[in-house]
Amino acid sequence: MSMFRKPQPLAVLVLRDAPDVVAGLRRALESATDAERPGLERALALAEDSAARPDAELRGRWVRQRLAAAGHEGPADSVAAVKILRAAEPGLTLLQAVTYAKEAEEAEAAEAAEA
């Protein structure tokens, strides 16, 4: 095993269809009735908010979902959490699992600071 291995790409892809949803809502607003307009405007605002979220935040959500499914209640960046992530997604390298767990913990800390 070489210590100069090429870094592995991140295994969790963030799929974003929010831009398509935003575009569809904008088209719907163009022909909306007065009764439909408030609901579509609110939906558009929510979709735009979702589209603006960084990939790290979405990966953090993925991590929290996997940990919750396994019944893990401790810190997202603990050794136990990393082990759970690797069991849930066998293709994850140790580095990837640790990176995702740290992102999840950072996102949780940021949410707590905002509250």
Side-chain angles (χ1 to χ4, degrees):
M1 192 183 302
S2 171
M3 56 189 273
F4 300 106
R5 289 184 303 158
K6 182 179 177 183
Q8 296 294 315
L10 297 179
V12 177
L13 299 177
V14 175
L15 301 177
R16 292 186 177 264
D17 43 345
D20 295 334
V21 172
V22 167
L25 288 169
R26 285 192 177 129
R27 284 191 303 274
L29 267 172
E30 292 172 1
S31 61
T33 65
D34 288 342
E36 295 171 325
R37 188 164 293 282
L40 285 170
E41 288 172 346
R42 177 69 178 133
L44 178 59
L46 292 171
E48 287 173 335
D49 180 60
S50 178
R53 298 197 182 267
D55 290 351
E57 184 178 334
L58 299 177
R59 283 190 299 269
R61 185 182 326 152
W62 178 85
V63 166
R64 288 190 301 273
Q65 289 170 347
R66 295 303 172 279
L67 296 178
H72 180 76
E73 295 180 5
D77 61 351
S78 68
V79 172
V82 170
K83 186 174 179 178
I84 290 168
L85 288 177
R86 292 194 71 203
E89 189 64 40
L92 283 180
T93 66
L94 179 59
L95 177 60
Q96 290 165 335
V98 168
T99 300
Y100 298 155
K102 285 182 181 180
E103 287 176 343
E105 190 63 29
E106 289 168 3
E108 286 178 25
E111 288 173 12
E114 290 176 4

